[in-house]
Structure formats: C-alpha cells, structure tokens
Amino acid sequence: MKAVRGVTFDLYKGETLAIVGESGCGKSVTSQSIMRLIPNPPGKIVHGSILFRGNDLTKLKEPQMRNIRGADISMIFQDPMTALNPTITVGEQIIEGILQHESITRQEAKKKALEMLDLVGIPNPKERLKHHPHQFSGGMRQRIVIAMALVCQPEVLIADEPTTALDVTIQAQILDLFKDIQKKTGVSIILITHDLGVVAQVADRIAVMYAGKIVEAGSRREIFYNPQHPYTKGLLNSVPRLDLEGAELIPIGGTPPDLFSPPKGCPFTARCSYAMEVCDRVYPFKTYLSNEHHVDCWLQDERATKILASMK
C-alpha cells in the first residue's frame, strides 16, 4: 500500500502547520515517518528525504534517531488514554524521558518534571507526580502527555489528533495551552487533525491531504477564504455553520481511492463534480497562486475556463 506519496512541506520556527484531511489519507503515517516510527519491515520510505537542521533523518542510524526523538522532535500520540503506561506513576514517565536525554541528577529531573506539570496547568503538581494515569481525567491525561513531549524543550512538536477524545470545553483549554506554550518556548508545531474548527483557532498555515498526497496548501486565510481544490471546498462545506440560518451540511459523496492501486491521475476524480477527462489520466501540475498558496488541480489550467465559470 502506498500510504504516503510524495508529500512535501516546510515547517518554520515558531509556527503551527496544520495537516488536515479525512481518516486514512496518510496524516499519521506522515508524522510517524518524520519520527522514523514506521516498523521496517513491513513499512519503508522508498525515496525522498526528511531534512532537520540540515541532516537527512532517513539516513540516520537508530541510536542517532533515538537521541533526536523526545529531545529535538517530540510527538503527542492520538489517544491520551492509551499513550501513558497504566502501571507507572506519571512522575516516573516524565522523569524517564529527561534522564534519557539530559546528563542531570534524578532530583534535578524531578524539579524539571514539576515545572512542566505546572506549565501545562496540572494543579498541585508535587502530589500529582506520584499518581497513576487512571487517577486523572481525560483532559488532565492529555496535559500530562503534552508535558512529556515538551519536557526536554524540543524544537518541533508533532501533535497527532491531540483533541479528538476530549469534550469541547477541555478541547478549548488544550488549544489555549498550545498557544501559550508556543509563545513561551518558540516550539514549531505540526498539528494533525480532521477538525477544521481546531485548525481555524491555532494554525498559521494549512496543508490539505487526500489519498496520500498534499493537494492544496496555504496560509489559514487563503485556505479558508480562497480554497481552490474541490476537495478543500468539500471539506469546508462539510463543517456545520451556526452563523448562517438554514445553512445545509453538504457531505462529500463517494469513497477515497484504493491505495493498494492508486489512480494515475488526480485521486479525487471519482468524487469530484468538476472532473474532466484529463483528471483521470494525468496527475495535475502544482500551481502557485501566491508564495505560500499552491494547489494540484487541472481546474487551474487556462483551458478549463468553462468549468471554472460554472463553479462561480
């Protein structure tokens, strides 16, 4: 299965890049590839590079990669309920990461763990450090997972669906926490989600992913106010609108393509109401609409003027 196919993006210091798309489009595989967490075999990176501080992560040996994970690039996994070891106190789990990457005493590591729990808003951190995961609510567990990811002050934080299992109130608190931590530490964040409401609150730039490819990318304003790919428009139309009376929820019809045998052309062709003959045969060229905004779609070709006119 070709889960991710030629994905390319940049991440700048202190920014939040959101990667959005429906389930199964390759978002989590992309993040696990950056961390080199895809088991090999069966998975492998066939070609390409992942550049961090000028080093290609795909060429590093496992001991070198282990030094980078947690210290320079950290990850928050999808479900806070299963991301923590239920048999070990949260204090031990946070301290373990610090001792792995820093040459400090256990007492100094404990002090750092307390400071980080305080930073992520865990009340009475000295006492809570001794507790096991089951003694915390879902929102608190998510804060502990964030503390574990940030305790070694990484330059990059990958957050894979960090708010999916949380209710709306706690979700808002976690998003505020991300903004606050980014302001204090300058960490760069890759936020992986399918929730466009979350993206609207925290993202600086957005990459829209479909069937293992990034089909459109741009600033938050460009993606929300000037979407160009039919899939991006479909995603935005699928979001409930509370500000418009009588607004309809318009789902995207059909199903994603089979990535065991991906299509030659645009993978969205079978679900696209503006599909042309060329869409099924040849993958579209990348069209740059601004320095940041680019889209892979044949509708950007000047020969598609009639189709474009019907979209307005």
Side-chain angles (χ1 to χ4, degrees):
M1 174 181 279
K2 297 176 182 176
V4 173
R5 305 178 293 142
V7 163
T8 299
F9 59 83
D10 297 315
L11 178 69
Y12 304 112
K13 188 168 177 60
E15 77 159 351
T16 298
L17 170 71
I19 301 178
V20 302
E22 61 196 57
S23 297
C25 71
K27 306 186 297 295
S28 293
V29 175
T30 299
S31 66
Q32 288 167 15
S33 298
I34 294 169
M35 295 289 283
R36 290 270 305 275
L37 291 176
I38 303 291
N40 183 6
K44 61 180 177 179
I45 298 170
V46 180
H47 58 80
S49 57
I50 301 164
L51 299 175
F52 174 68
R53 286 186 188 155
N55 294 319
D56 185 355
L57 300 185
T58 64
K59 302 281 195 297
L60 298 184
K61 291 185 168 59
E62 182 54 29
Q64 295 171 298
M65 201 60 217
R66 213 168 11 236
N67 290 334
I68 288 173
R69 288 191 206 110
D72 299 315
I73 306 174
S74 263
M75 188 164 177
I76 299 168
F77 293 94
Q78 268 191 23
D79 187 0
M81 310 300 173
T82 56
L84 295 164
N85 188 327
T87 65
I88 304 173
T89 64
V90 297
E92 281 298 314
Q93 294 185 61
I94 298 171
I95 290 167
E96 180 188 29
I98 302 168
L99 295 176
Q100 172 76 28
H101 294 291
E102 297 181 27
S103 302
I104 58 175
T105 65
R106 189 173 183 81
Q107 204 56 38
E108 289 170 324
K110 186 177 178 181
K111 188 184 173 189
K112 279 194 80 170
L114 284 168
E115 288 169 358
M116 187 50 68
L117 284 184
D118 189 48
L119 180 66
V120 299
I122 300 285
N124 194 11
K126 198 169 184 179
E127 216 34 58
R128 297 299 253 164
L129 211 61
K130 305 170 193 170
H131 290 175
H132 288 77
H134 72 270
Q135 294 172 278
F136 295 84
S137 67
M140 286 296 179
R141 267 182 276 196
Q142 187 63 285
R143 287 170 187 268
I144 290 160
V145 170
I146 293 168
M148 286 175 68
L150 291 171
V151 74
C152 292
Q153 297 179 319
E155 290 184 45
V156 177
L157 175 66
I158 302 171
D160 189 358
E161 305 270 9
T163 59
T164 300
L166 307 175
D167 62 58
V168 178
T169 311
I170 305 300
Q171 190 180 89
Q173 291 174 13
I174 296 297
L175 294 178
D176 286 340
L177 177 62
F178 274 131
K179 289 184 205 168
D180 192 41
I181 286 170
Q182 194 171 49
K183 206 177 285 182
K184 288 175 181 173
T185 64
V187 66
S188 304
I189 298 173
I190 297 175
L191 176 67
I192 293 166
T193 183
H194 58 259
D195 189 334
L196 290 171
V198 169
V199 171
Q201 289 182 63
V202 296
D204 298 304
R205 289 188 302 124
I206 300 167
V208 180
M209 205 165 175
Y210 184 76
K213 284 181 171 286
I214 288 177
V215 294
E216 185 169 7
S219 68
R220 178 174 57 186
R221 175 164 284 277
E222 285 167 330
I223 296 298
F224 275 96
Y225 293 103
N226 186 30
Q228 291 298 307
H229 198 284
Y231 177 62
T232 310
K233 293 181 181 186
L235 278 182
L236 292 168
N237 286 336
S238 300
V239 177
R241 295 288 299 269
L242 301 178
D243 56 332
L244 297 176
E245 196 174 333
E248 283 187 45
L249 193 68
I250 308 167
I252 302 172
T255 55
D258 179 7
L259 292 184
F260 279 105
S261 179
K264 288 181 183 176
C266 173
F268 192 60
T269 303
R271 304 172 76 184
C272 182
S273 51
Y274 305 105
M276 300 173 284
E277 199 174 320
V278 68
C279 300
D280 200 30
R281 296 181 178 180
V282 184
Y283 189 80
F285 299 110
K286 194 178 295 298
T287 303
Y288 280 86
L289 306 167
S290 72
N291 289 337
E292 292 182 339
H293 193 184
H294 59 79
V295 59
D296 297 0
C297 183
W298 281 115
L299 291 172
Q300 300 302 316
D301 192 288
E302 58 185 18
R303 290 166 290 183
T305 47
K306 287 181 183 177
I307 300 286
L308 286 168
S310 72
M311 290 174 73
K312 292 177 182 175

